[in-house]
Amino acid sequence: MSKTTATLIGFVAVLLWALLALFTVGAYEIPPLQLNAVCFAIGGAIGVVWTTVSNRWGELRGVPVSVYAFGTVGLFGYHFLYFSALRAAPPAEAGLIAYLWPLLIVLFSGFLPGERLRPLHLIGAGISFVGAALIVAQGAVFSGAHGLGYLLAAGCALTWSSYSVLSRRMGDVSSMVVTIFCLTTAALSLVAHLALEQTIWPSSSYGWASMIALGVGPVGAAFYVWDIGVKRGNIQLLGTASYAAPLLSTMVLILAGIAEPRTTLVLSAVLITLGAGMAAYASRHSQ
């Protein structure tokens, strides 16, 4: 698989994450950790079917337990910290801090063997972050009273960026391991749900469809293609391009009639595209 192909496959995750808000709105009745448990169970089932059909179970033999622990901490840790941050701080501020992870991926990638981080990578990621902030941080007002929430959101960004970059160091490990990551994350989410939440199931077919769609796409297949992208693709470009997710997500909500168009969307699109273009140019120049 070429680096370009792997990068394009990784970007499929960004496209799937653009549907996250739409399906989450549809499954609004379900408590976060319960939704997490169901979605990752579906995501794990996708991996079981994929691994069985392709007869690739042998690729999971001999994989160290530490790798499975690493993946579980990455997936479960990110979502648990994210949901906790949204409870301890307003969504706008918590979301903005949590969405530092693409910028951190670009920054941390400079420590990977064989990767060369250029100033243009960081400038491009910074510009794209500003573009995403125009959407994510609508009405954000930071307050010292929500310090714990901000800290949890920062931990969320650090967890996902570290997971993504360190996955690159495990390039020889099959992406089929994501199957186990999803199943163990589902189990831990179930335990956390039973301890902290009341079980509530969707009251409509639309709610059920949204929950299943989340598990199949944004909280399922997305992690498999992301694993391929960060292991074999252009990780700096993937990190910067990830800022397209909130823009695309908002556009999907507008098309669905859930959100209203905003003038800032145009500026956001320009900034995100400009930042990604700069990162792509820097990567091409490095090669």
Side-chain angles (χ1 to χ4, degrees):
M1 183 182 298
S2 69
K3 193 170 188 178
T4 300
T5 300
T7 303
L8 291 174
I9 291 174
F11 189 70
V12 171
V14 179
L15 298 178
L16 290 172
W17 289 330
L19 299 172
L20 183 64
L22 176 65
F23 296 145
T24 300
V25 169
Y28 73 95
E29 298 171 292
I30 311 170
L33 290 170
Q34 178 188 346
L35 185 61
N36 214 42
V38 173
C39 290
F40 274 106
I42 295 173
I46 290 174
V48 170
V49 173
W50 183 14
T51 307
T52 301
V53 171
S54 59
N55 194 26
R56 298 175 64 179
W57 284 107
E59 296 177 13
L60 299 182
R61 296 195 189 100
V63 175
V65 175
S66 58
V67 172
Y68 292 124
F70 160 79
T72 302
V73 169
L75 295 187
F76 176 75
Y78 168 79
H79 289 86
F80 185 80
L81 288 171
Y82 182 73
F83 292 142
S84 299
L86 291 182
R87 289 181 176 181
E93 294 93 298
L96 180 61
I97 296 173
Y99 227 80
L100 283 168
W101 65 259
L103 182 60
L104 291 177
I105 285 178
V106 176
L107 179 63
F108 293 162
S109 69
F111 297 98
L112 290 171
E115 295 293 337
R116 186 175 182 183
L117 182 62
R118 292 181 173 273
L120 206 56
H121 282 125
L122 290 175
I123 295 172
I127 291 175
S128 291
F129 172 73
V130 173
L134 292 176
I135 300 173
V136 178
Q138 288 290 318
V141 179
F142 288 89
S143 167
H146 301 119
L148 175 60
Y150 302 154
L151 186 62
L152 291 170
C156 169
L158 183 62
T159 298
W160 188 248
S161 57
S162 299
Y163 166 80
S164 298
V165 173
L166 290 174
S167 291
R168 183 80 163 203
R169 301 294 299 268
M170 304 176 186
D172 57 337
V173 177
S174 170
S175 291
M176 295 296 102
V177 296
V178 177
T179 301
I180 309 302
F181 297 170
C182 287
L183 293 175
T184 51
T185 297
L188 289 175
S189 297
L190 177 60
V191 171
H193 159 66
L194 294 175
L196 302 172
E197 298 173 337
Q198 178 182 358
T199 301
I200 301 174
W201 293 106
S203 59
S204 67
S205 57
Y206 178 67
W208 280 98
S210 297
M211 180 180 69
I212 294 171
L214 272 173
V216 172
V219 193
F223 296 112
Y224 295 91
V225 292
W226 182 252
D227 189 76
I228 294 173
V230 296
K231 282 180 177 177
R232 301 176 178 84
N234 186 323
I235 194 167
Q236 291 98 349
L237 182 55
L238 269 179
T240 305
S242 295
Y243 280 120
L247 173 64
L248 295 173
S249 179
T250 303
M251 293 174 67
V252 168
L253 292 176
I254 291 172
L255 291 174
I258 297 174
E260 294 293 328
R262 298 198 299 264
T263 55
T264 53
L265 284 177
V266 176
L267 178 58
S268 175
V270 171
L271 291 173
I272 292 171
T273 303
L274 176 61
M278 294 173 71
Y281 178 82
S283 296
R284 183 176 180 182
H285 189 64
S286 295
Q287 292 172 0

